Amino acid sequence: MIITFLKISLLFLSILIANDNSIFDVYFSDLSKSGDINSGALNALNTKLKNQIKSIENYRLVAGSTKLKESLNKYNVVNEKCFDECFTELQNNFKIDLLIIGSIRRSGYNYHLSLSLVNVIESDIKNYNVSSNQGVSYLIEKIKFDIADYMIDVKNRFIESSEQINEKNY
């Protein structure tokens, strides 16, 4: 009975540790632009997106190395593509869990934001596209909850998977 109690206690403790220590590293590539986008507005948009990421528990922004940027270009990840070889290189060579890459373009009074969330953990890409004729900041309002929901889902799936592995070990 004492051994069973100790096993259950260890399992519970390992689950708590997995939940508390799961930090996900995010590389955010500043948005590229096309059309007549004001530099100040672009910087503000990049800052708002970074702050949105920082506000999600267990996620932290990390700087990208030159080697990472070269890999993103090599595999054309900037154009929303990443296949098995690409994910393998990202998983093996870089300490990142999620990449966020995107662009903003302006045509007349319309703004269009395209974001790709490259989930290195699960080898998946989630694409978001939003348009607005109400200005650049409105784009973030239209998309911020989708981004947060996706990132929280990734975190929860990872924690759930860790819990299942811990349960099997005990």
Side-chain angles (χ1 to χ4, degrees):
M1 184 160 163
I2 293 175
I3 293 175
T4 303
F5 174 75
L6 287 175
K7 283 184 176 182
I8 291 171
S9 297
L10 284 172
L11 174 62
F12 181 73
L13 182 61
S14 67
I15 289 170
L16 285 177
I17 290 170
N19 288 345
D20 290 339
N21 292 332
S22 298
I23 300 295
F24 299 90
D25 290 329
V26 179
Y27 170 68
F28 176 83
S29 176
D30 284 342
L31 300 172
S32 62
K33 68 174 185 165
S34 64
D36 185 25
I37 304 285
N38 176 298
S39 294
L42 180 63
N43 290 337
L45 187 59
N46 282 321
T47 300
K48 275 189 167 188
L49 282 167
K50 288 176 184 177
N51 288 338
Q52 178 67 28
I53 295 162
K54 289 177 187 177
S55 73
I56 302 170
E57 188 177 349
N58 296 81
Y59 281 92
R60 70 176 166 210
L61 286 172
V62 296
S65 66
T66 302
K67 186 177 177 186
L68 172 62
K69 293 172 187 174
E70 289 170 357
S71 289
L72 296 178
N73 288 331
K74 172 183 169 183
Y75 291 106
N76 203 17
V77 176
V78 175
N79 291 321
E80 305 169 357
K81 297 176 182 161
C82 192
F83 301 104
D84 293 341
E85 183 182 349
C86 167
F87 281 116
T88 301
E89 183 168 328
L90 292 173
Q91 291 163 347
N92 293 337
N93 297 321
F94 305 102
K95 294 182 179 187
I96 53 172
D97 302 304
L98 196 69
L99 299 164
I100 301 179
I101 302 164
S103 65
I104 182 167
R105 93 181 127 81
R106 180 178 179 186
S107 178
Y109 293 106
N110 292 315
Y111 295 89
H112 183 77
L113 175 65
S114 296
L115 284 179
S116 294
L117 278 65
V118 181
N119 178 344
V120 178
I121 298 169
E122 299 174 323
S123 300
D124 183 44
I125 298 179
K126 182 73 173 169
N127 296 311
Y128 295 95
N129 295 290
V130 293
S131 295
S132 169
N133 59 3
Q134 298 180 15
V136 173
S137 60
Y138 188 71
L139 293 170
I140 296 298
E141 295 305 313
K142 289 180 74 172
I143 200 170
K144 70 181 183 183
F145 295 113
D146 292 334
I147 294 169
D149 287 347
Y150 180 77
M151 292 174 71
I152 291 167
D153 286 347
V154 168
K155 176 183 75 171
N156 290 340
R157 285 193 302 271
F158 177 81
I159 290 171
E160 185 178 300
S161 158
S162 296
E163 289 172 354
Q164 289 172 354
I165 290 169
N166 287 335
E167 287 174 2
K168 287 179 184 176
N169 290 336
Y170 292 99

